[in-house]
Structures are given as C-alpha cells and as structure tokens.
Amino acid sequence: MRASLAATVEVRGDATVVHVAGSLGVSTAPVLRTTVLECLATEPAHIVLDVAELRAHDDVALTVLPPSPSTPRPGPAAR
C-alpha cells in the first residue's frame, strides 16, 4: 500500500490554514512542502498548520517545513 497525503488550504480572515491529512514520509513530503511554499508566496499575516489528521512515519520528512521567522504560537484549541 502506498502512503498518501492530502493538503488543503482555507483562508480565514487574515490567516491561511493548511489542513494536512494522511501519512508524512519521504515520498509524500513534497506535497506538504509545495503547499506551504505556495501559501508563503501569498504572504498571509498568519499560516496555521492543522496536523490533527497527520501521521509522521519518517522523522526526516518533518524537515520538509521551511524554518519559521517567528516563534509559533499555540492555536485556540491549545489555549
């Protein structure tokens, strides 16, 4: 069975939310990276990654995300 990953984008006010579902591994990491880089290109005030449905199967795949210029803050559910 081949791993799959889906990344969908939703704009909520001045925030861009990337909903990620599926398995993050070496073969699926480009899907997430491309989606995040496309969102960054639009220069939103905030980018939120919703990873509630994400399973990371390879620690190396987590390096797919570009470094953040600021400290991430917990979302509303974590407060």
Side-chain angles (χ1 to χ4, degrees), residues 2-70:
R2 184 172 176 171
S4 67
L5 182 101
T8 57
V9 178
E10 173 187 8
V11 176
R12 291 187 186 178
D14 64 350
T16 297
V17 182
V18 180
H19 302 278
V20 188
S23 299
L24 180 63
V26 173
S27 66
T28 59
V31 173
L32 180 55
R33 181 169 178 80
T34 298
T35 303
V36 170
L37 289 174
E38 287 173 353
C39 290
L40 287 170
T42 66
E43 299 183 5
H46 307 282
I47 293 180
V48 177
L49 294 179
D50 172 8
V51 295
E53 300 294 322
L54 179 67
R55 294 176 311 282
H57 291 285
D58 186 342
D59 291 344
V60 173
L62 296 175
T63 64
V64 69
L65 299 174
S68 173
S70 63

